Amino acid sequence: MDGENPAREVVDPEVRAYVYSLVSALGGTGADEDGRYVLGDDALACLKDLKRWLKLYDEKLNRLDVARCLAEANLVNGDLLEILAAWPEDATRNKLKLKTAVACLELLVPLTWPIEKNDLQMTVNHHRHTPYLQLAQIAYKRSILNHETAKILRTVVRVGLPSIAQPSRERSSRDEGIIKLILYFIRNVAMISIPPKIYDDGDESEVSRSATIDAFHHQDIFHLLLTISSGTGDDFNTQDIVVMEVLFHLLKGVDIEKLFMTESQSTMRKTDELRALLDKEAGMLRGYARNAPTRHNRFGTMIWIKRDDHRVSAVSGQDVLLNNQRSLAKIDETKKWKKAKPRSSKIDSPQNDFDTPVPLTASATRHLRAFVEAFLDSAFNPLFGHIRKAIEREAERVLDTHPRQFFFLVSWFLEAERVRRKVARTAQKENPGTEEVEADSFAIIANVLTQETFITLNRFMQESYDMKAWDDLNAGMRCFTQILLTIQEMSESPLEEDQTIAENIQARIFYEETTHDRIVAIVRNYTNQGFGYLNACTELAHVHLRVLEHYSKQNVEMQVRSRRRARTKKRASKSNGNDSEGQDDEEGEGSDSEDEDVAKAQRATNDRKFDFKRFAAKFVTQACVNTFVALTRYYQDLTLDQLKHAHRFFHRVAFKMDMSVMLFRVDIISLFHKMVKGPGGLDPASPTHGEWDELVRQVIKKMVRKIGDRPQLVVEMLFSKINATAHYLEFGYEKQTASTKPRAPAELEVKPGMERSEQIGVAVALLLSQDKKDAIDWVKAKLTSAISERKAWESEAAAMQSIEQSEDPVDKPIESKAPSIIITADHEARRIAMFKDNKLRLLMTLVGFERLGVDDEADSTWMIPSSAMSTQLSEALDAITGAEDNPPVFDDGRDADDFVRRKSAPKPRRAAFDDDSDGDGIIEDQEEEFLFPAGGPTIRKADALEKLKQKRRTRHQDEDEAEPLGEAEREARAEARRAADLERRRKIKSELFVHDSDDDDDEERDRIFFEEEEKRRRKQGSSLLQLLQANGNGAGDNKPTKSKKRKGGDEQGDARKSRKVLGGLESEDDDSGVLSLPAHSDPARTSADDEADTDTPLSSPHLVSSQENATKVGSHFVSTPATSPTAQNLRRDVDMLDIGVNGDSEDDDALVVKPAKRRARAGFIIESDSE
């Protein structure tokens, strides 16, 4: 027992015995065969038995015992690889050799399969065997890649050549299985790597990525991959996922820029990197030498530092003697905080690690570059287009890790294509003498720039974000970033077709607002997902903002589809006697009650104009700033591009968005100062040092100025800032926010045709269908209390009435009313239901409750009005009880919902040009309402007839000369005629609405009015006589010319009006009396005055001066001499005149209407009532 090997105790001895016996019977080397491997008699059967042991024991029992025994027996290196190496290339038709090679391959695939189990799946058996098997697999890979006598990988490919050569329709299931075995074996070889926590005695370079790539190149594995990839979808349908896995494990961690460098460029790059490392080391030494001890002060030193809180700290070292800042920095360096790391469920597998860079040798770089270029030219589109379709339909061969690998490879190849084009352009510039190569189209990568790919990518990113699958989200962010960069390069392509495609792709990507919001959410919610995730999300934010800003500037009218939350109800409806649930209710029916969250939330979309500044403001939050600060903390290890991303973001926040207060935090300012001033800052020789120095200087300058304006910022620098605080600190006032009032639900009513008790039954049935019996009981309790209270009041009122009747037998009605009963809620939920539950409100309304106040007020009061008597309330209570005990049954299988509808609210009447109305203010399908109706003709018939004849003559002449009118011109003229008619009707001021105020009967007012008028007449008459006497000496005895009286249209005459007449006065008592001019008046002058009167206002001053003997009476001019008979008659009848002066005719004079052309007789103006 003491000499027994303890390693044998980890496996069941019987299992070990069976396995060892099968390995021994398989074959071996002998001296008589010159060291060649010789198969046993039953070698093929032994291989099949070993396969059964692996399948039935290890896989079914979830153990690794058989694999451990085979590794200890050295089956792979000692038997399987020797059997494959013994198969010469010229013996391809040897069926026994082929069967044996296939059997060896069936064992090699499970033995090289990577062991991936998390802590929850690991058992004691797994913990015991996994390290040993991982080392064994490394040995397997070393032997496969570096076999001494044969090319094992090439031999394995020969096994599947007969199956690959057959058309896809003629292949059997065995052929498909052989092809799949070959690809899985190649995948396993590419996937095996040295675990980070396991030490291997062999040479690591023999199993490195470079060795794998060289072996794949020399043994024609790359040709096999190109063949299958280019034929995916036509000749190979189910092999796409395995090929993708091989590519993933070959390309992850490879630097693309180094891959496309020439050997001279690669050598120079390595030299520059070495020089940069040496300079960095020299800078560290210089920084240390500033405070390093000399030979004269190498003795120990310890000092005490007295801090602000009167506490003392001890610090050792002579460098602390320089100043207080150095002493405090030494204290900070000695502080160590060991933060407890959360237990991560991440599996340490090669599949999850694509952020670690992998160095390649020169030969591996050359071979891989040739393969990548050939793959991009011939196999990229068919392979990745087919894989995308498989991921969309969730094929069985697609596992959870495959979408991550797909999007990572898409991002890798897109970047490789961009770098290849960049290298080609650079080579063209460096060698201008060479022939100019035409620009290649981006069609070779078109299959991943389709709308289907964008939909799949957005869904994958959203699901990864929701499920917190950070590695998947990392791959999705990388892919989206490279798509944006590729599209931007396409837009700058010299090919017009590429530019058009790029513009369409950008329009589709940026159209969805959810895409923008997802990127903001990703940046905000970074915590501790790792540096790779941090780099991916910050790069995505930088690229997305830059490309989107450029695109929005080119497309000013850019639209985005935004989504808002909307609620639609689902109700159970019965049709043809069968219950069918899930029918969407009609729009607008039901309520928005929170108690009825049977409502399904769905997304309603609408388009709106995109505002880039508004979108960029979403990044100006403390969470986004913290994410970029976390990236900046690695400034010593960041590349120039990464430092540029952080610098551009901080510059946008501080200056473009004018929210520098978000950077005013102690740790951020300290980080910025350390980056530019040290110790341990950026190298002054770095290209980005100048930019960071200027940024930090301006930020600190703004901070000092802001502290002077708002001293409270000193305290706020210790904390992160919410949006409200940042807005106040930046602008000096609080941000105004509008509060929204809760909206009342839609009012319901029972459809007409039902009695009151039946309506109450419908409302009760609605509440019972929603399990709201407590609401019904509450209404019943309120009714019961109200009935007792109302009955007590009625009894008291009847007693008071009987007492009053006994005292006074005259019957008098009871003047007092019953007091209103206020309805109060028993708890807060009930109060909310009284406002938001429209079913409960319907029942309360039907039983007689009334609501006071505005409907939209949540605190409106409910009451039982005074008019509701106890008998009415008792009937309502009986109806509720009856409907509750015996729920109503409706005909035709309908339920209570079918008898309820939304109450139509009265629409408010709005003005025709209300600002709140929709449209442009034009009222369609409605006749315009005019201020006045047409009150009769406004021109004389003779003039109208003459104008009509003239118009017809003109129209006939135009029709004879012009061409026939078209339909459009006819419609235009008809529209013009309608517009003119509307304009004419708008100007009508009908006399139907003008009536004489004399119709009003008020004796006292009339008496006062006539007394005032009598005084005014006498005063004006005396003034007029004095004026006439003063002007009577200069006139001769001229006989007036008799004028003809015109007949008025109305015998009684219209309402008396005072008129202004140039050259005469009309008597108010005689409408037909016309004053005449003197007989010696000049006819020519009279004609001139007539024309002037026609076209000039009556108050024109030159008309007064043109008449020699004009006398002004009030506002009238009288041209008659004072000694004429007319003047004598005027003096005789002066008391009867009613001349509107001193404001009496202001109302008449104020209304100026352009008169029609007037008729004149001998220089006098003759007015007609019809004008």
Side-chain angles (χ1 to χ4, degrees):
M1 293 293 295
D2 296 336
E4 186 176 355
N5 188 1
R8 297 182 180 273
E9 297 178 358
V10 297
V11 180
D12 187 2
E14 295 186 7
V15 174
R16 188 185 301 277
Y18 277 111
V19 172
Y20 278 10
S21 62
L22 290 174
V23 172
S24 300
L26 184 60
T29 58
D32 53 346
E33 299 294 338
D34 298 332
R36 291 183 297 105
Y37 188 88
V38 179
L39 290 174
D41 296 336
D42 296 329
L44 190 58
C46 292
L47 292 174
K48 292 181 179 180
D49 289 343
L50 290 173
K51 177 185 174 182
R52 292 192 189 98
W53 270 99
L54 280 173
K55 185 176 182 179
L56 298 177
Y57 193 84
D58 278 5
E59 293 183 10
K60 284 194 173 184
L61 299 179
N62 193 21
R63 298 177 65 87
L64 301 175
D65 293 346
V66 177
R68 175 69 178 267
C69 294
L70 295 178
E72 293 174 352
N74 198 22
L75 174 68
V76 174
N77 297 332
D79 297 281
L80 299 182
L81 297 183
E82 297 299 330
I83 294 173
L84 291 175
W87 185 23
E89 294 187 1
D90 55 356
T92 55
R93 296 186 178 182
N94 191 337
K95 293 185 178 181
L96 180 61
K97 293 284 188 181
L98 179 61
K99 289 183 180 181
T100 306
V102 172
C104 292
L105 186 60
E106 290 176 345
L107 282 174
L108 283 173
V109 170
L111 291 175
T112 57
W113 199 277
I115 302 172
E116 296 177 357
K117 294 183 183 295
N118 56 19
D119 295 339
L120 299 178
Q121 297 175 343
M122 295 284 283
T123 63
V124 176
N125 183 274
H126 295 149
H127 284 289
R128 182 185 297 122
H129 298 316
T130 298
Y132 186 88
L133 292 178
Q134 288 177 342
L135 290 174
Q137 287 180 348
I138 296 172
Y140 299 162
K141 181 176 182 178
R142 184 179 290 110
S143 301
I144 292 170
L145 297 179
N146 305 289
H147 198 270
E148 297 178 356
T149 60
K151 298 180 179 180
I152 302 298
L153 294 175
R154 185 181 178 89
T155 304
V156 170
V157 173
R158 285 168 49 206
V159 173
L161 286 179
S163 301
I164 295 174
Q166 292 182 1
S168 60
R169 296 182 179 180
E170 299 179 3
R171 292 194 196 116
S172 62
S173 58
R174 183 176 183 275
D175 294 331
E176 294 289 346
I178 292 174
I179 297 175
K180 191 174 295 185
L181 281 174
I182 295 172
L183 293 176
Y184 276 125
F185 178 69
I186 296 173
R187 190 279 310 268
N188 295 343
V189 172
M191 193 173 178
I192 294 174
S193 61
I194 300 177
K197 298 180 181 180
I198 296 179
Y199 175 74
D200 182 45
D201 296 336
D203 188 2
E204 292 185 5
S205 62
E206 295 180 352
V207 293
S208 64
R209 185 77 60 84
S210 299
T212 304
I213 293 173
D214 290 337
F216 280 14
H217 172 75
H218 293 301
Q219 301 186 33
D220 298 333
I221 302 301
F222 283 150
H223 293 296
L224 174 67
L225 297 177
L226 288 174
T227 301
I228 296 178
S229 300
S230 59
T232 303
D234 297 331
D235 297 330
F236 306 95
N237 294 322
T238 60
Q239 292 80 15
D240 49 358
I241 297 296
V242 188
V243 174
M244 181 188 69
E245 290 188 82
V246 176
L247 295 176
F248 175 77
H249 294 292
L250 283 177
L251 301 176
K252 63 179 182 179
V254 175
D255 191 345
I256 298 176
E257 293 185 356
K258 293 182 179 180
L259 182 66
F260 283 89
M261 290 181 181
T262 60
E263 293 186 2
S264 60
Q265 293 175 343
S266 179
T267 303
M268 292 177 60
R269 177 73 174 270
K270 292 179 180 179
T271 304
D272 294 339
E273 290 179 354
L274 178 60
R275 185 181 296 109
L277 290 175
L278 293 175
D279 293 341
K280 186 176 181 180
E281 182 183 9
M284 294 173 60
L285 293 176
R286 285 194 300 270
Y288 176 73
R290 294 191 188 100
N291 304 318
T294 63
R295 62 176 181 171
H296 300 290
N297 56 3
R298 291 178 181 175
F299 302 99
T301 303
M302 177 175 289
I303 65 173
W304 296 91
I305 297 179
K306 188 176 181 180
R307 296 185 292 182
D308 296 337
D309 53 356
H310 303 288
R311 298 180 63 182
V312 179
S313 300
V315 184
S316 62
Q318 292 185 353
D319 52 343
V320 300
L321 298 175
L322 296 177
N323 49 41
N324 294 337
Q325 187 66 27
R326 184 60 187 170
S327 303
L328 295 176
K330 188 65 176 290
I331 294 178
D332 292 339
E333 291 176 1
T334 58
K335 294 178 181 178
K336 292 183 180 180
W337 179 40
K338 296 182 179 180
K339 183 179 179 180
K341 295 182 180 180
R343 186 173 182 178
S344 176
S345 60
K346 180 180 178 181
I347 305 173
D348 294 329
S349 64
Q351 290 183 342
N352 292 329
D353 187 16
F354 46 75
D355 294 322
T356 305
V358 177
L360 297 179
T361 61
S363 61
T365 302
R366 184 173 60 255
H367 298 152
L368 185 60
R369 176 180 178 178
F371 168 72
V372 169
E373 291 180 344
F375 183 85
L376 283 170
D377 293 335
S378 62
F380 180 83
N381 273 340
L383 178 63
F384 284 93
H386 200 266
I387 295 174
R388 178 189 57 78
K389 295 177 182 178
I391 293 175
E392 286 181 351
R393 63 174 179 267
E394 297 181 356
E396 294 182 359
R397 64 182 183 275
V398 178
L399 303 180
D400 295 338
T401 57
H402 291 151
R404 178 199 315 160
Q405 297 177 1
F406 170 77
F407 289 112
F408 171 78
L409 288 176
V410 168
S411 67
W412 196 94
F413 279 107
L414 288 179
E415 185 178 1
E417 176 63 20
R418 290 193 304 106
V419 173
R420 182 171 69 157
R421 292 172 180 269
K422 180 180 177 181
V423 170
R425 290 193 299 266
T426 305
Q428 181 67 30
K429 292 180 181 179
E430 293 178 354
N431 301 317
T434 59
E435 296 182 1
E436 186 176 355
V437 181
E438 294 183 0
D440 294 333
S441 173
F442 285 84
I444 58 176
I445 55 173
N447 268 11
V448 297
L449 300 178
T450 60
Q451 183 67 15
E452 293 81 2
T453 304
F454 301 149
I455 294 174
T456 305
L457 175 59
N458 287 328
R459 183 172 60 247
F460 173 74
M461 292 179 64
Q462 188 62 45
E463 291 177 355
S464 302
Y465 178 77
D466 295 338
M467 301 301 295
K468 297 184 178 180
W470 307 125
D471 291 325
D472 294 348
L473 186 58
N474 187 2
M477 289 188 294
R478 288 171 177 265
C479 182
F480 193 78
T481 303
Q482 295 304 323
I483 286 176
L484 291 177
L485 293 174
T486 303
I487 294 172
Q488 186 183 20
E489 188 168 343
M490 286 179 63
S491 63
E492 300 172 357
S493 173
L495 300 179
E496 185 177 357
E497 182 180 3
D498 289 343
Q499 296 178 7
T500 305
I501 294 174
E503 185 176 357
N504 294 334
I505 293 175
Q506 284 179 332
R508 289 198 299 267
I509 291 177
F510 297 143
Y511 178 61
E512 294 292 341
E513 190 179 31
T514 53
T515 303
H516 309 309
D517 295 339
R518 185 184 305 114
I519 295 174
V520 175
I522 289 173
V523 178
R524 284 181 179 177
N525 295 326
Y526 168 79
T527 51
N528 54 355
Q529 289 88 349
F531 180 78
Y533 180 91
L534 176 63
N535 180 36
C537 71
T538 51
E539 183 181 9
L540 174 60
H542 171 78
V543 173
H544 184 76
L545 278 172
R546 183 166 56 86
V547 176
L548 181 59
E549 183 178 14
H550 179 71
Y551 180 78
S552 61
K553 288 181 179 178
Q554 291 182 342
N555 299 270
V556 182
E557 300 297 330
M558 175 182 171
Q559 298 284 326
V560 293
R561 179 166 60 184
S562 61
R563 297 173 180 258
R564 57 181 177 84
R565 300 290 293 182
R567 293 184 179 272
T568 57
K569 280 194 54 184
K570 284 192 173 182
R571 65 171 184 173
S573 62
K574 298 180 181 179
S575 60
N576 299 327
N578 297 326
D579 295 341
S580 61
E581 297 184 358
Q583 300 290 334
D584 289 341
D585 197 357
E586 293 181 359
E587 183 179 359
E589 292 192 8
S591 67
D592 296 336
S593 173
E594 293 181 357
D595 296 335
E596 296 180 28
D597 267 345
V598 186
K600 178 182 178 181
Q602 71 175 13
R603 294 284 185 177
T605 62
N606 59 339
D607 291 352
R608 64 172 180 83
K609 186 177 180 180
F610 179 76
D611 186 4
F612 176 77
K613 188 174 182 180
R614 177 184 175 186
F615 168 71
K618 296 181 180 180
F619 286 91
V620 188
T621 60
Q622 197 67 61
C624 293
V625 172
N626 292 340
T627 301
F628 278 88
V629 168
L631 177 70
T632 312
R633 294 188 191 279
Y634 298 97
Y635 64 90
Q636 292 284 9
D637 303 320
L638 296 181
T639 62
L640 296 179
D641 290 337
Q642 292 168 343
L643 286 172
K644 177 183 176 182
H645 298 165
H647 177 273
R648 298 298 185 270
F649 177 80
F650 293 134
H651 182 272
R652 180 183 297 275
V653 171
F655 301 102
K656 285 190 175 182
M657 303 304 298
D658 199 18
M659 286 296 290
S660 57
V661 71
M662 301 300 296
L663 304 179
F664 298 162
R665 204 173 64 192
V666 174
D667 59 331
I668 299 177
I669 298 298
S670 175
L671 175 64
F672 286 174
H673 185 270
K674 184 179 179 181
M675 288 178 63
V676 297
K677 299 297 182 181
L682 290 173
D683 187 4
S686 174
T688 60
H689 183 271
E691 296 179 354
W692 278 97
D693 188 15
E694 181 65 20
L695 173 66
V696 173
R697 189 173 63 85
Q698 293 296 335
V699 169
I700 295 178
K701 184 178 179 181
K702 292 189 70 172
M703 182 189 68
V704 174
R705 189 184 304 115
K706 191 71 68 176
I707 290 176
D709 296 338
R710 277 174 277 282
Q712 59 269 32
L713 180 60
V714 177
V715 178
E716 292 295 336
M717 287 182 64
L718 300 174
F719 311 100
S720 297
K721 299 166 186 62
I722 61 176
N723 293 335
T725 305
H727 188 276
Y728 175 78
L729 294 175
E730 185 67 35
F731 302 104
Y733 58 89
E734 294 183 357
K735 190 174 183 180
Q736 302 296 328
T737 57
S739 59
T740 58
K741 292 176 59 178
R743 186 164 57 94
E747 290 291 337
L748 300 180
E749 66 179 359
V750 181
K751 294 180 180 179
M754 303 179 70
E755 298 293 337
R756 182 165 176 263
S757 60
E758 295 176 347
Q759 293 180 358
I760 294 176
V762 170
V764 171
L766 287 174
L767 292 173
L768 289 176
S769 64
Q770 297 178 355
D771 297 332
K772 296 180 180 179
K773 190 176 182 302
D774 59 334
I776 300 175
D777 295 338
W778 174 77
V779 174
K780 289 168 60 178
K782 292 298 179 181
L783 283 175
T784 303
S785 176
I787 289 171
S788 61
E789 184 177 347
R790 189 55 52 90
K791 283 183 177 180
W793 181 87
E794 291 174 355
S795 300
E796 181 182 357
M800 293 296 296
Q801 185 178 11
S802 62
I803 294 173
E804 291 179 358
Q805 288 180 355
S806 62
E807 295 177 356
D808 188 359
V810 180
D811 294 337
K812 294 182 179 180
I814 302 175
E815 297 180 357
S816 62
K817 293 183 180 180
S820 300
I821 302 174
I822 305 299
I823 305 299
T824 57
D826 51 354
H827 49 76
E828 182 64 19
R830 186 82 64 211
R831 187 187 66 82
I832 297 175
M834 291 171 63
F835 176 69
K836 291 193 173 183
D837 191 350
N838 57 352
K839 306 295 190 306
L840 177 60
R841 292 163 66 111
L842 174 62
L843 178 60
M844 295 170 65
T845 304
L846 290 176
V847 299
F849 296 176
E850 291 184 359
R851 185 177 61 254
L852 300 178
V854 185
D855 293 349
D856 291 339
E857 290 183 357
D859 297 331
S860 58
T861 304
W862 285 81
M863 72 169 187
I864 299 177
S866 303
S867 58
M869 307 308 293
S870 61
T871 55
Q872 299 175 359
L873 300 178
S874 300
E875 292 175 359
L877 179 60
D878 295 339
I880 294 177
T881 305
E884 190 176 6
D885 296 338
N886 298 316
V889 179
F890 305 101
D891 299 335
D892 299 333
R894 294 188 294 176
D895 56 5
D897 286 339
D898 298 326
F899 295 93
V900 177
R901 67 183 180 185
R902 181 179 180 181
K903 182 184 293 186
S904 58
K907 295 183 179 179
R909 185 175 181 180
R910 295 182 297 186
F913 297 96
D914 192 357
D915 292 338
D916 296 335
S917 60
D918 297 335
D920 53 0
I922 299 176
I923 302 176
E924 299 180 356
D925 299 333
Q926 184 177 354
E927 187 177 358
E928 182 178 356
E929 296 183 2
F930 297 97
L931 183 62
F932 298 104
T938 57
I939 60 174
R940 294 178 306 175
K941 295 181 180 179
D943 295 340
L945 182 61
E946 186 64 27
K947 288 183 179 181
L948 182 60
K949 291 181 180 180
Q950 180 65 24
K951 187 176 181 180
R952 287 181 178 176
R953 286 194 297 268
T954 306
R955 185 173 61 188
H956 288 317
Q957 292 176 3
D958 295 341
E959 291 179 354
D960 295 339
E961 297 175 0
E963 298 179 356
L965 297 178
E967 184 67 23
E969 191 171 355
R970 289 196 190 95
E971 293 180 358
R973 291 192 177 185
E975 183 65 27
R977 287 195 297 272
R978 285 193 294 269
D981 182 64
L982 288 175
E983 185 66 24
R984 180 184 63 80
R985 295 181 65 186
R986 292 190 187 101
K987 293 181 178 180
I988 292 176
K989 296 178 177 55
S990 177
E991 68 181 29
L992 298 178
F993 292 88
V994 180
H995 54 274
D996 198 348
S997 62
D998 293 342
D999 297 338
D1000 300 335
D1001 295 334
D1002 191 347
E1003 296 180 357
E1004 182 65 22
R1005 188 182 61 182
D1006 292 345
R1007 184 183 63 80
I1008 297 173
F1009 172 75
F1010 287 120
E1011 289 179 356
E1012 295 293 334
E1013 287 295 316
E1014 183 68 21
K1015 295 178 181 179
R1016 190 178 296 109
R1017 288 194 191 97
R1018 293 183 182 278
K1019 184 178 180 180
Q1020 292 174 355
S1022 60
S1023 301
L1024 182 60
L1025 286 176
Q1026 295 175 3
L1027 289 173
L1028 291 176
Q1029 291 175 358
N1031 295 321
N1033 296 327
D1037 295 334
N1038 297 324
K1039 295 182 179 180
T1041 303
K1042 293 184 179 179
S1043 59
K1044 297 182 180 180
K1045 296 182 180 180
R1046 61 179 177 84
K1047 297 181 179 180
D1050 190 357
E1051 294 293 339
Q1052 302 296 332
D1054 297 334
R1056 295 171 179 171
K1057 306 175 183 177
S1058 58
R1059 297 189 181 95
K1060 299 176 184 179
V1061 181
L1062 184 60
L1065 269 176
E1066 291 185 26
S1067 175
E1068 194 170 354
D1069 296 336
D1070 188 4
D1071 292 339
S1072 62
V1074 180
L1075 297 180
S1076 302
L1077 283 174
H1080 65 273
S1081 299
D1082 190 1
R1085 186 171 181 174
T1086 304
S1087 177
D1089 293 341
D1090 184 24
E1091 294 179 14
D1093 178 64
T1094 303
D1095 300 329
T1096 309
L1098 300 180
S1099 60
S1100 183
H1102 73 276
L1103 294 178
V1104 178
S1105 61
S1106 66
Q1107 300 179 10
E1108 296 179 355
N1109 298 322
T1111 302
K1112 184 174 183 180
V1113 182
S1115 61
H1116 301 271
F1117 292 91
V1118 182
S1119 60
T1120 307
T1123 58
S1124 64
T1126 305
Q1128 296 176 1
N1129 293 333
L1130 180 62
R1131 284 193 297 268
R1132 183 176 63 248
D1133 299 333
V1134 68
D1135 291 337
M1136 302 300 296
L1137 290 176
D1138 185 11
I1139 304 173
V1141 294
N1142 298 327
D1144 293 341
S1145 62
E1146 287 180 0
D1147 295 338
D1148 295 336
D1149 295 340
L1151 182 61
V1152 179
V1153 181
K1154 185 177 180 181
K1157 186 174 182 181
R1158 301 174 179 177
R1159 294 177 294 169
R1161 294 180 184 176
F1164 294 96
I1165 298 174
I1166 301 175
E1167 295 187 357
S1168 175
D1169 292 340
S1170 62
E1171 298 183 60

